[in-house]
Amino acid sequence: MDNPKIKIQKTELLSDNWYLLNKVTFEYQEENKPVETHIREVYDRGNGAAILLYNSTQKTVILTRQFRLPSYLNGNESGMMIEVCAGLLDKDYPEQCIIRETEEETGYRLSKVQKIFETYMSPGSVTEILHLFVGEYNATMKVNEGGGIASEQENIEVLELSFDKAFAMIQTGEIKDAKTIMLLQYAKINKLI
């Protein structure tokens, strides 16, 4: 990272309890303007991957439902979120990560996935890049019940829904997760199902 318009002055660690929360002081030089000093808190939780599992024959998708404390703290009464399968890279390549996470969370073992794009989900405060994938599944790929890893305190419900129902859940507000909305819209636009 070598941008002459940005000069990091100081980075202070505020927390490393779960991931890293830093307070960063930096100078920023806009074209034809004086140098400005900014202070921002930046949360670094690593990068992640997410996948929409779809079955083009049955016209279904696999989604997950699990409790998400931040959504609960911000007004989601049950705290439950319906999402695509996702996880942190944990030093894996994105493709390795999402194949591992798919089996852990949903019970489906995929041999290939298709990366469609990368995105910053909350670039104002979080460093994470999310690698987004799609992958086709069928019943022969089911190797276990999924549900996540107990040692990681995951309690994930696996949902198989018709694509039309899942897509309609965006409009009804039953699906509010950005990565899930983006992947369902990608499937619709590209006629995967």
Side-chain angles (χ1 to χ4, degrees):
M1 297 185 316
D2 192 26
N3 184 335
K5 294 181 179 182
I6 301 166
K7 186 175 182 184
I8 304 295
Q9 297 295 317
K10 180 170 51 170
T11 300
E12 301 170 72
L13 180 65
L14 300 178
S15 174
D16 68 352
N17 186 38
W18 190 251
Y19 300 110
L20 298 177
L21 179 61
N22 289 305
K23 180 179 171 182
V24 180
T25 304
F26 65 99
E27 291 180 351
Y28 182 74
Q29 172 80 51
E30 283 191 57
E31 190 114 4
N32 301 318
K33 292 190 177 179
V35 173
E36 295 179 332
T37 299
H38 297 264
I39 299 171
R40 299 288 187 272
E41 289 184 4
V42 178
Y43 192 55
D44 184 354
R45 48 173 269 136
N47 295 326
I51 188 168
L52 176 66
L53 299 174
Y54 70 95
N55 183 308
S56 57
T57 304
Q58 293 183 348
K59 301 193 181 323
T60 55
V61 294
I62 298 291
L63 299 176
T64 64
R65 181 179 8 233
Q66 61 185 307
F67 179 76
R68 296 297 198 184
L69 178 62
S71 79
Y72 175 76
L73 295 174
N74 197 22
N76 178 3
E77 274 187 35
S78 70
M80 300 301 283
M81 294 289 290
I82 297 174
E83 306 173 39
V84 292
C85 172
L88 293 177
L89 299 186
D90 298 328
K91 299 182 183 177
D92 282 340
Y93 290 107
E95 292 82 1
Q96 293 171 317
C97 166
I98 204 57
I99 288 171
R100 179 190 72 241
E101 289 290 336
T102 298
E103 187 170 334
E104 290 174 4
E105 291 188 7
T106 71
Y108 287 90
R109 182 175 294 152
L110 301 179
S111 58
K112 67 177 188 166
V113 294
Q114 177 189 348
K115 185 172 180 179
I116 55 173
F117 52 84
E118 299 174 9
T119 183
Y120 288 96
M121 296 302 288
S122 190
S125 60
V126 181
T127 61
E128 179 185 38
I129 293 173
L130 195 58
H131 303 264
L132 297 178
F133 295 86
V134 293
E136 194 151 9
Y137 78 94
N138 63 53
T140 66
M141 297 174 173
K142 185 88 169 162
V143 294
N144 63 59
E145 294 306 308
I149 297 177
S151 65
E152 294 180 9
Q153 296 179 312
E154 292 181 322
N155 185 10
I156 298 169
E157 180 184 356
V158 180
L159 307 172
E160 184 172 34
L161 304 169
S162 76
F163 176 75
D164 290 341
K165 177 176 175 60
F167 198 78
M169 291 168 81
I170 298 169
Q171 185 68 35
T172 64
E174 294 168 88
I175 293 178
K176 292 184 179 182
D177 175 66
K179 65 187 176 295
T180 304
I181 293 168
M182 290 165 58
L183 284 166
L184 288 168
Q185 289 176 335
Y186 176 89
K188 182 92 165 170
I189 290 165
N190 291 281
K191 299 176 175 44
L192 296 182
I193 303 170

